[in-house]
Amino acid sequence: MIIFQVTWQSIIRGLPRNILAFSMRLATDSLPSPSNLKRWGKRVLATCPLCSCPQGTLAHIINFCPVSLTQGRMTWRHDSVLNHLVSQIKPVAPKGVEIYSDLAGQMCNNAVIPCDILVCNGYGSKPDLVVISRQSKQIALFELTCPLDRNLHKANSFKSNKYSSMQTDLEAKGWKVYLVAIEVSSRGQILKHTQTDIFHTLKHFKIKIHEQSKLIKSLSKISLLCTFSIFHAHQTKEWVNPAFIQH
């Protein structure tokens, strides 16, 4: 069983009542997903209305539906969390520390790592967030995932392995590399070791987040709010990415 390291009370404080009710039902799998509606005798089939998967479970709706993935619904959640993280790091980064992310307008010539440091393309070539200190020849590769709660550890291993080759290539060029897999679950869970890894790594670049607990809570809430929107749009065929959720 995964222990929620950010207290539930701190996460839900200040949430609108409808979001609070949603979060409780999300935790107990009691939302009206197609599978639950069939189980409750309210519909004949448990088919996902977007992709016609015969098992429209809650997990399918909020994390695995291929149509949702193709339309960018899950990417919007991921990028909303990433955007907030970047927005909190950039203003407190010392002069000379470079920060790039896999978001529009925040890359370097369509890459996240400048080509004079490493030329890379293909699978595992774009970490979500990169922090670089040329003076100390250090580079941090942050990779974000918004998995189901039960897949937090699995996602961590997958992302760490995905960028292991890049880490090896950078180390061969004399760089000190920090590889940090960040998991913020679709319900807003962030494990304690993930929090520690984020802030411990940033310290190597003299980046100090003064309100660390506030940042963690904000990342959690953003993921939860995005999941709320994704679930309530699961019967809507069309999807246009809204603006990133701010907190």
Side-chain angles (χ1 to χ4, degrees), residues 33-47:
S33 63
S35 288
N36 279 341
L37 289 172
K38 180 186 177 184
R39 181 163 58 88
W40 298 335
K42 295 187 176 182
R43 60 184 297 175
V44 176
L45 300 176
T47 307

Side-chain angles (χ1 to χ4, degrees), residues 87-186:
S87 74
Q88 299 304 300
I89 293 176
K90 269 193 171 183
V92 295
K95 184 178 180 180
V97 172
E98 301 170 41
I99 297 176
Y100 303 101
S101 75
D102 191 16
L103 293 171
Q106 298 186 19
M107 289 184 263
C108 178
N109 296 321
N110 203 38
V112 182
I113 298 178
C115 61
D116 63 303
I117 295 177
L118 185 69
V119 177
C120 53
N121 54 59
Y123 180 77
S125 65
K126 271 190 178 181
D128 287 312
L129 171 64
V130 173
V131 180
I132 302 168
S133 172
R134 294 178 187 265
Q135 182 179 6
S136 59
K137 207 165 185 182
Q138 297 184 103
I139 184 167
L141 314 175
F142 293 89
E143 182 65 8
L144 171 69
T145 315
C146 297
L148 292 173
D149 294 354
R150 66 173 182 257
N151 291 338
L152 283 167
H153 292 295
K154 182 179 179 180
N156 183 279
S157 298
F158 173 77
K159 292 296 186 177
S160 296
N161 292 333
K162 181 179 179 181
Y163 289 95
S164 60
S165 294
M166 177 179 286
Q167 180 177 8
T168 300
D169 291 342
L170 286 165
E171 289 173 343
K173 291 177 175 288
W175 286 85
K176 172 64 178 177
V177 183
Y178 304 94
L179 178 55
V180 184
I182 302 174
E183 297 80 39
V184 181
S185 83
S186 47

Side-chain angles (χ1 to χ4, degrees), residues 1-12 15 19-31 58-59 62-63 77 81 145-152 183-191 216-228 230:
M1 180 179 178
I2 294 173
I3 299 173
F4 197 0
Q5 301 287 357
V6 179
T7 64
W8 187 248
Q9 289 82 0
S10 68
I11 293 302
I12 64 175
L15 288 179
I19 305 293
L20 174 58
F22 171 82
S23 65
M24 296 299 186
R25 298 184 71 185
L26 179 64
T28 56
D29 191 11
S30 57
L31 288 164
L58 179 57
I62 66 173
N63 273 84
R77 176 175 57 205
V81 176
T145 315
C146 297
L148 292 173
D149 294 354
R150 66 173 182 257
N151 291 338
L152 283 167
E183 297 80 39
V184 181
S185 83
S186 47
R187 189 167 70 96
Q189 291 229 37
I190 306 178
L191 299 181
I216 293 299
K217 292 172 188 175
S218 295
L219 297 177
S220 297
K221 287 183 179 180
I222 288 170
S223 184
L224 175 61
L225 290 170
C226 288
T227 297
F228 175 86
I230 290 169

